[in-house]
Amino acid sequence: MTTLIENNNNCETTTYKKSFKCLTAEFYDKSHYEKIISESSIGLKENGDILFVLVKNAINKDNIKKYIDAIKNNAKSKTKNRGTASGVAVVDKFPKDAVALCDKYGNPLKNPRLVSVQYKREDGSICSRCQSNAVRCGCAGYFDRVGKLPCRMVGWSTRNPEKHECCVELCKEIAKAHKENEPKSYAFQKSIAELSPNYLMGDTPYSTLTLNYDFRTASHIDKGDLKDSLSTLTILEEVPNNYKGCYLGLPEYKIAIDVRSGDTLIFDAHEYHANTEMEVLSDILPIDDLTGKPHGGRISVVAYLRNRLKDCPIVNETEDY
């Protein structure tokens, strides 16, 4: 069913039905999807809830290079803890000294679809911690309490205050698009965000940024973000139009969305989502030692509010100590 909703900038609005049972940590190619969406539009679930809103050119083009310069090195950080989003563990995506994946005792894996495992070295020793396939991903902003770590600003933001402030500027542009194009979820998230005033990206309803560089995610559902709300995905391209594909897919709905530089996607990250394959169109960027191929330069910025920040202590900055 397709309709037109006037209070959302006359975007085409379509209701989508689930027609597929998604596997966790699976990569779905473009051929899986029945529809690729590339224009500003709204997708609804059968119950009328928002599935996604694609806002083209949400970010001021004059600011994109500034944002890229601020976050690129963070986004290119190698990490081994992305779990399901990085896909089923494959020995080729582990450190170079890994010769086999194993359990903590060095035994072969009984479950071939694990995403976080240990590995065995050629000398027979076993790595001490579980890890996932290596990908390029960083973060900025704030985190709630995890283990013995308190509610806090993440290390990168602490060490790079000017770059952090640039992220705040970016969040303000994302928030503007969110408020104008999906005011209901914006208002709800803002009301919860105000419970955690010390842990926000400026005057926005976001606490945290996940920054991905050329990271093709496997099918996963986001954890840690605000329940019953929507997340945002913004794309910044280091070299414009240097790749094709890497659509954000919703595999259970068999639709994929072509989010390009400066676009913002407001969507339900509690639905399974994943990226299609990416074809890099030039060798203008350096070779990625994780893949052996040139970088595409696709930076995805996921701005969201962490669900448990509302439990963090409020600090009165004007209080005398």
Side-chain angles (χ1 to χ4, degrees):
M1 180 180 71
T2 301
T3 59
L4 206 64
I5 295 182
E6 292 184 358
N7 64 350
N8 279 282
N9 299 326
N10 288 328
C11 288
E12 181 181 89
T13 301
T14 304
T15 299
Y16 296 97
K17 299 169 62 175
K18 287 186 179 181
S19 59
F20 180 77
K21 181 65 176 178
C22 185
L23 288 175
T24 299
E26 187 76 8
F27 291 101
Y28 292 98
D29 290 344
K30 179 183 176 182
S31 60
H32 171 80
Y33 298 95
E34 296 174 349
K35 183 177 182 180
I36 308 296
I37 297 156
S38 57
E39 298 297 332
S40 292
S41 55
I42 300 166
L44 302 179
K45 303 179 188 181
E46 286 187 276
N47 64 0
D49 289 348
I50 290 288
L51 179 60
F52 72 86
V53 180
L54 175 59
V55 185
K56 301 293 288 184
N57 302 312
I59 307 303
N60 186 328
K61 292 181 179 180
D62 293 336
N63 293 334
I64 288 178
K65 184 179 184 304
K66 174 178 65 175
Y67 297 146
I68 290 173
D69 289 343
I71 67 176
K72 179 176 67 174
N73 288 341
N74 189 355
K76 292 179 77 172
S77 302
K78 292 181 186 178
T79 182
K80 306 169 188 175
N81 66 358
R82 284 304 308 271
T84 303
S86 62
V88 173
V90 179
V91 70
D92 291 347
K93 296 182 180 180
F94 273 59
K96 292 180 180 179
D97 62 348
V99 297
L101 303 182
C102 62
D103 64 18
K104 62 181 179 180
Y105 303 109
N107 299 317
L109 299 176
K110 294 180 180 179
N111 182 352
R113 292 193 59 80
L114 293 176
V115 300
S116 184
V117 300
Q118 289 169 262
Y119 68 87
K120 185 182 294 186
R121 303 181 182 91
E122 191 171 350
D123 63 5
S125 62
I126 301 168
C127 72
S128 59
R129 293 185 179 181
C130 286
Q131 57 187 259
S132 305
N133 295 327
V135 297
R136 295 189 179 278
C137 176
C139 65
Y142 302 86
F143 261 75
D144 47 84
R145 186 186 303 275
V146 178
K148 295 182 179 180
L149 294 174
C151 300
R152 66 210 182 277
M153 176 183 275
V154 302
W156 180 85
S157 288
T158 302
R159 296 188 300 271
N160 298 277
E162 292 184 1
K163 292 180 179 180
H164 175 84
E165 286 305 312
C166 195
C167 288
V168 171
E169 289 184 43
L170 172 58
C171 283
K172 290 179 179 178
E173 293 202 52
I174 296 170
K176 182 175 183 291
H178 192 167
K179 183 177 182 179
E180 291 177 353
N181 292 276
E182 223 307 280
K184 183 177 180 181
S185 70
Y186 177 89
F188 169 70
Q189 188 157 312
K190 194 75 163 65
S191 69
I192 304 299
E194 288 171 352
L195 300 175
S196 313
N198 304 116
Y199 306 97
L200 300 177
M201 301 298 287
D203 185 27
T204 77
Y206 316 121
S207 62
T208 314
L209 301 181
T210 297
L211 308 170
N212 304 311
Y213 191 95
D214 284 1
F215 178 11
R216 182 191 178 187
T217 61
S219 55
H220 66 287
I221 292 173
D222 286 4
K223 297 179 180 179
D225 56 326
L226 182 63
K227 295 179 180 178
D228 301 318
S229 192
L230 304 176
S231 294
T232 68
L233 170 74
T234 300
I235 299 300
L236 306 174
E237 297 176 12
E238 186 176 3
V239 176
N241 302 311
N242 192 43
Y243 67 89
K244 293 195 300 185
C246 212
Y247 307 135
L248 191 286
L250 298 167
E252 295 201 312
Y253 293 87
K254 289 199 170 185
I255 58 173
I257 305 162
D258 188 13
V259 192
R260 298 304 301 228
S261 194
D263 298 346
T264 290
L265 179 71
I266 306 157
F267 75 111
D268 186 351
H270 302 103
E271 296 281 356
Y272 276 107
H273 54 285
N275 292 109
T276 65
E277 64 274 33
M278 182 171 73
E279 178 188 354
V280 179
L281 301 178
S282 80
D283 60 359
I284 192 170
L285 293 175
I287 299 292
D288 183 358
D289 62 354
L290 292 179
T291 65
K293 300 177 181 179
H295 283 297
R298 179 184 185 269
I299 302 174
S300 61
V301 179
V302 180
Y304 68 101
L305 180 66
R306 290 192 64 80
N307 189 57
R308 296 196 303 171
L309 278 178
K310 58 184 179 294
D311 300 324
C312 291
I314 297 177
V315 178
N316 185 352
E317 296 181 353
T318 63
E319 185 176 345
D320 292 329
Y321 291 96

